[in-house]
Amino acid sequence: MVFSLLCLLLALQSQAATRVLYLGDSFSKGAFGRTLDAQMRAAGLEVYTSVTGGASAYDWLPEFGPTSTDIGYWEKTPKKEFRIGRISKIPKIDELIERWRPQVVVIQGGTNMYSVLTSKRRPREQNAAELERLLDRIGQIVTSSGARLYWVTPATAHPQRFSPQLQAEMREI
């Protein structure tokens, strides 16, 4: 994990990018997110962090209606920072890009994305295609704004919670 963070920071610095949108789920609310946010700022980047507990691609995409969460929200910009326990409307990625105009978008999508791969609402073989569709859509929104996208995959989970095969499938997608 430390190696991949170092690689990400080096890539961001080498692009002369200055404005970064950091979007994450509950995994980013803790030490991982605080560390990544702090390291990007220490590297001289102008960082706009938007972290929502329980969020997934469905919550961030504009074609899906507003969603709320009581798992918490953290927003940090160069001028302010706040954390709240409940947010009634999770910010959509297109709104965040419009507001902050980042050159780079870093998304940390954690284990909430596994719910797409394990969904019982559609045949198993369609789950990977659904996740790919969601991630492609996020990629279209980001790249159509002219920004570059970096996706931080979920950390390795306990094999009793998510099988090694499921985790490998997520990383491949």
Side-chain angles (χ1 to χ4, degrees):
M1 182 69 73
V2 172
F3 178 74
S4 57
L5 289 178
L6 179 61
C7 290
L8 174 62
L9 288 171
L10 291 172
L12 294 175
Q13 288 175 318
S14 69
Q15 293 175 24
T18 57
R19 187 174 292 193
V20 177
L21 168 60
Y22 171 34
L23 185 66
D25 63 15
S26 54
F27 188 71
S28 290
K29 283 178 47 188
F32 173 84
R34 285 191 310 271
T35 301
L36 180 55
D37 177 272
Q39 287 182 351
M40 288 190 291
R41 290 173 196 280
L45 302 169
E46 182 180 336
V47 181
Y48 297 82
T49 296
S50 178
V51 171
T52 308
S56 72
Y58 289 113
D59 300 303
W60 295 323
L61 286 169
E63 53 266 32
F64 297 98
T67 54
S68 64
T69 184
D70 59 1
I71 301 174
Y73 179 74
W74 171 39
E75 183 174 292
K76 184 174 183 180
T77 72
K79 296 183 180 182
K80 67 177 181 166
E81 176 178 16
F82 68 92
R83 289 179 183 259
I84 54 176
R86 184 177 200 303
I87 188 167
S88 60
K89 183 180 179 284
I90 295 172
K92 300 296 185 179
I93 193 167
D94 59 328
E95 297 166 350
L96 295 170
I97 288 171
E98 178 67 26
R99 182 177 353 153
W100 292 323
R101 305 217 180 270
Q103 296 158 313
V104 172
V105 176
V106 176
I107 299 175
Q108 175 279 309
T111 56
N112 300 331
M113 298 298 222
Y114 286 124
S115 66
V116 179
L117 286 178
T118 59
S119 176
K120 306 267 191 255
R121 291 185 291 166
R122 62 191 150 263
R124 167 78 176 102
E125 60 276 2
Q126 292 177 12
N127 287 341
E130 172 68 358
L131 182 58
E132 287 178 22
R133 183 186 72 77
L134 295 169
L135 300 181
D136 284 346
R137 178 70 177 117
I138 287 174
Q140 290 168 353
I141 291 170
V142 171
T143 57
S144 70
S145 75
R148 174 169 245 155
L149 174 62
Y150 290 90
W151 195 280
V152 180
T153 59
T156 302
H158 193 284
Q160 289 180 336
R161 179 145 189 226
F162 300 107
S163 72
Q165 296 82 5
L166 185 66
Q167 294 182 60
E169 184 178 10
M170 174 67 78
R171 282 189 296 277
E172 185 178 316
I173 292 171

